[in-house]
């Protein structure tokens, strides 16, 4: 569904797969992308935080998380990157 420009259905499928298979960082990252493309920025950030809790060096998750919102001195991911 994500390749068919249907992120809402992709999101539903990723959520179902995670429910059935349990924690899978690849599926969780893809769910974060689907959430982003359906406007659920907070949900995407939560999913990326879960990916990074399990696999902290996942570069594409680090990058995507940093693009979800404007980073400021008060609200950023600098400490997490250290």
């Amino acid at each position: 569904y994500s390749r068919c420009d249907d992120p809402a259905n992709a999101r539903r499928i990723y959520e179902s797969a995670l429910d059935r298979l349990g924690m899978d960082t690849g599926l969780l990252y893809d769910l974060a992308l689907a959430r982003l493309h359906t406007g659920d920025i907070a949900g995407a950030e939560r999913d990326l935080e879960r990916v990074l809790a399990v696999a902290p060096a996942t570069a594409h998750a680090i990058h995507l998380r940093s693009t979800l919102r404007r980073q400021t001195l008060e609200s950023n991911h600098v400490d997490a990157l250290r």
Side-chain angles (χ1 to χ4, degrees):
Y1 289 100
S2 60
R3 291 181 185 227
C4 296
D5 196 29
D6 190 358
N9 274 321
R11 180 178 168 170
R12 182 180 54 79
I13 296 299
Y14 289 130
E15 289 169 341
S16 176
L18 284 163
D19 285 344
R20 291 178 185 193
L21 301 173
M23 177 55 141
D24 179 294
T25 57
L27 287 173
L28 197 52
Y29 176 82
D30 289 340
L31 175 57
L33 278 174
R35 288 188 197 278
L36 171 63
H37 292 294
T38 58
D40 183 5
I41 305 303
E45 188 166 18
R46 277 191 312 273
D47 292 339
L48 293 169
E49 291 293 343
R50 288 178 59 202
V51 169
L52 294 169
V54 174
T58 308
H60 55 280
I62 292 169
H63 177 262
L64 183 59
R65 181 184 62 174
S66 71
T67 65
L68 293 177
R69 59 183 163 79
R70 182 170 178 84
Q71 305 295 300
T72 67
L73 289 175
E74 297 80 26
S75 178
N76 60 64
H77 301 115
V78 173
D79 287 338
L81 292 171
R82 291 185 179 142

